[in-house]
Amino acid sequence: MEKVLDKNILLYMHAGSGNHGCEAIVSSLADIMQNAGMAQDGENDKKEMTLLSYRAAEDEKYTLSGKCNIVNERSFDDHKLAHILYYIYRKITKDEESFIRYRYKGLINPEKIDIAVSIGGDNYCYDSMLKDLRLSNNAFKKAGIPTILLGCSIEPDLLKRDDIIDDLGNYSRIIARESITYNAIIAAFKEKGIPGDKVFLVPDPAFSLKTENIQDSALPKEFAAGNTVGINISPMIQSNEKIEGITITNYRKMISYILENTDMSVALIPHVVWANNDDRIPCHKLYEEYAKEYPGRVCEIGDCSASELKAYISRLRFFVGARTHSTIAAYSSLVPTLVVGYSVKAIGIAKDLFGTDENHVIPVQTLKEDDDLLDAARWLFEHEVEIKNRLTDIIPKIKEDNLMYKDILVVE
């Protein structure tokens, strides 16, 4: 018999669906957990998956409203007096979690929530996130609610920090999405005497993201289905470059080569559209540089849901992407992909898929010459069949492994 969800699960540390990777995680996870058919303890006691969101309006705009109960975090930006009062209260009582309890709107409550799942992926790689991660974890644990860290990627060097290990040890379960992180956590836990049986290795749930049904006739006229190179560039990788301007220069070299030396078209595909971190800005800049010179061969894809973006990506011949979940959409659609990465997540995912990250990931920090990205793309083009065959073999197993979330998320 198919297992159904019999716990009230809260997903937290979700920043909003304007990052379509965040949307893809929640959407896929909800489908895997079969949220629409939750088990019932009693006639009127239906279990729920609740999404605590920093930007609930974005989640309503795209695809998540029908998949889970969406609750918007309280923001002190909207309640200045509350911020002052909580600040004074915290100073007097030393109750650091008071800010978290306010933001989380009464959801740190075992009568409402059985399990709290942190879905931030690589949040532990950002110093600005560490305090909120720790305080949230502590607040749930003090309330008697088990916590799970889901789909994480963590730089191994960070696991030398006692504060991070102490926090990770406080989770009931940890699910790493790639083996570099998994092995590093196991080793760090062993050194500290923390049981390793709470750590699991399961691919990112977004490998199982459903693809929207978009007909070829609905594609932009410049988009040649099956003969287009999809390109994603992000402000995130540009901010991690070691030589100012080297990233955009490398993208230009690669695009020029494609348009001048092949018959393939180019589609610029944004995957994050937040005002302070908007892929559309560098994508549109590149579009304007090439669209007029090469009419009929260059297009840009507008903002749409994660499943719709995956539909465009699935029609590509090749993909060169910066955003992790844009590349996961490509991998899982069997599209040969080159990742322009900046952290352990890109390297770890590629190693698990291909046995090596060499030729599959080019870290933006390593870009030194104008044609480094072009050289990597040429290798991709030359090994098209080999890469496609590998993806054809492994992606079904990856999607099967995703079903493990059904068991791991139900903590007794």
Side-chain angles (χ1 to χ4, degrees):
M1 180 179 293
E2 185 70 25
K3 184 170 184 176
V4 289
L5 184 62
D6 60 356
K7 301 286 184 181
N8 285 316
I9 293 180
L10 175 69
L11 308 178
Y12 70 100
M13 298 305 294
H14 172 75
S17 291
N19 181 328
H20 293 298
C22 297
E23 178 197 2
I25 291 172
V26 177
S27 180
S28 305
L29 196 59
D31 287 339
I32 290 167
M33 300 300 289
Q34 297 183 326
N35 187 47
M38 302 288 236
Q40 297 184 21
D41 288 342
E43 186 174 340
N44 298 310
D45 188 20
K46 188 173 182 181
K47 300 301 183 180
E48 286 189 313
M49 181 177 285
T50 298
L51 176 67
L52 180 65
S53 176
Y54 189 71
R55 297 179 176 91
E58 293 180 357
D59 305 312
E60 297 283 352
K61 176 182 177 181
Y62 297 105
T63 62
L64 300 185
S65 59
K67 298 197 172 192
C68 50
N69 175 35
I70 300 171
V71 177
N72 200 57
E73 280 191 31
R74 284 195 189 102
S75 171
F76 284 118
D77 292 340
D78 303 324
H79 302 91
K80 300 296 185 184
L81 179 58
H83 195 179
I84 293 169
L85 292 175
Y86 268 85
Y87 179 80
I88 295 171
Y89 172 82
R90 190 186 67 177
K91 281 291 186 181
I92 295 172
T93 65
K94 310 299 182 185
D95 179 6
E96 287 191 296
E97 287 97 25
S98 60
F99 280 120
I100 296 296
R101 293 196 302 272
Y102 175 84
R103 282 172 49 193
Y104 287 14
K105 267 185 166 177
L107 288 172
I108 305 178
N109 182 345
E111 294 183 2
K112 297 180 179 179
I113 301 299
D114 296 308
I115 302 160
V117 182
S118 175
I119 57 171
D122 59 349
N123 282 342
Y124 275 89
C125 293
Y126 305 109
D127 279 337
S128 61
M129 302 292 297
L130 294 179
K131 185 174 183 180
D132 282 357
L133 287 161
R134 175 179 59 83
L135 292 177
S136 298
N137 196 7
N138 287 345
F140 284 116
K141 296 295 280 189
K142 286 179 181 178
I145 300 172
T147 54
I148 296 175
L149 177 61
L150 183 144
C152 65
S153 288
I154 303 175
E155 296 286 350
D157 283 348
L158 290 174
L159 296 173
K160 297 174 183 177
R161 291 175 50 172
D162 288 340
D163 59 332
I164 291 180
I165 291 297
D166 289 343
D167 186 25
L168 293 176
N170 220 12
Y171 287 98
S172 296
R173 291 179 180 173
I174 296 172
I175 308 170
R177 63 178 163 188
E178 33 76 19
S179 57
I180 293 177
T181 293
Y182 173 80
N183 291 329
I185 294 175
I186 290 291
F189 275 14
K190 184 177 181 179
E191 186 175 326
K192 295 291 184 179
I194 300 171
D197 58 359
K198 68 163 70 177
V199 187
F200 300 83
L201 175 61
V202 186
D204 193 297
F207 275 98
S208 295
L209 178 69
K210 293 179 179 177
T211 306
E212 189 71 22
N213 184 22
I214 297 178
Q215 301 299 318
D216 284 355
S217 59
L219 297 172
K221 65 181 185 299
E222 301 89 355
F223 193 117
N227 198 37
T228 293
V229 182
I231 292 173
N232 167 258
I233 181 173
S234 75
M236 179 67 77
I237 58 162
Q238 290 178 291
S239 68
N240 281 276
E241 64 188 12
K242 295 299 184 183
I243 301 172
E244 185 175 357
I246 193 72
T247 305
I248 195 76
T249 298
N250 267 264
Y251 270 82
R252 287 190 184 108
K253 275 273 191 178
M254 179 184 64
I255 293 171
S256 295
Y257 174 85
I258 293 167
L259 295 172
E260 292 170 7
N261 296 279
T262 80
D263 65 349
M264 293 186 289
S265 297
V266 168
L268 293 145
I269 305 176
H271 214 260
V272 174
V273 294
W274 286 332
N276 63 342
N277 195 2
D278 193 340
D279 295 357
R280 290 174 298 185
I281 295 172
C283 282
H284 185 66
K285 182 175 183 179
L286 290 170
Y287 171 78
E288 287 192 318
E289 291 182 23
Y290 291 98
K292 289 183 179 178
E293 186 176 354
Y294 297 92
R297 293 185 63 196
V298 182
C299 67
E300 58 182 339
I301 304 302
D303 182 37
C304 52
S305 73
S307 292
E308 290 173 305
L309 288 169
K310 186 171 181 179
Y312 290 111
I313 290 170
S314 71
R315 305 296 214 290
L316 298 170
R317 183 173 177 182
F318 299 102
F319 186 63
V320 179
R323 296 290 185 180
T324 299
H325 285 91
S326 72
T327 63
I328 287 175
Y331 285 144
S332 58
S333 301
L334 313 183
V335 175
T337 297
L338 172 65
V339 182
V340 187
Y342 66 92
S343 71
V344 66
K345 56 186 176 180
I347 294 171
I349 291 169
K351 280 189 172 181
D352 290 347
L353 289 174
F354 302 104
T356 178
D357 63 297
E358 187 177 359
N359 296 316
H360 299 284
V361 178
I362 180 165
V364 69
Q365 298 93 331
T366 67
L367 295 178
K368 295 179 180 178
E369 304 297 333
D370 292 355
D371 54 2
D372 286 341
L373 184 57
L374 171 57
D375 289 344
R378 281 174 170 161
W379 188 93
L380 182 77
F381 301 158
E382 291 166 2
H383 292 81
E384 176 182 6
V385 174
E386 172 189 336
I387 296 169
K388 200 171 186 70
N389 287 343
R390 173 59 181 169
L391 292 172
T392 300
D393 287 343
I394 198 168
I395 290 301
K397 173 65 165 56
I398 296 286
K399 292 180 178 180
E400 184 179 339
D401 287 347
N402 278 164
L403 297 177
M404 293 168 62
Y405 285 108
K406 287 184 176 183
D407 296 319
I408 299 172
L409 291 191
V410 181
V411 179
E412 301 300 336

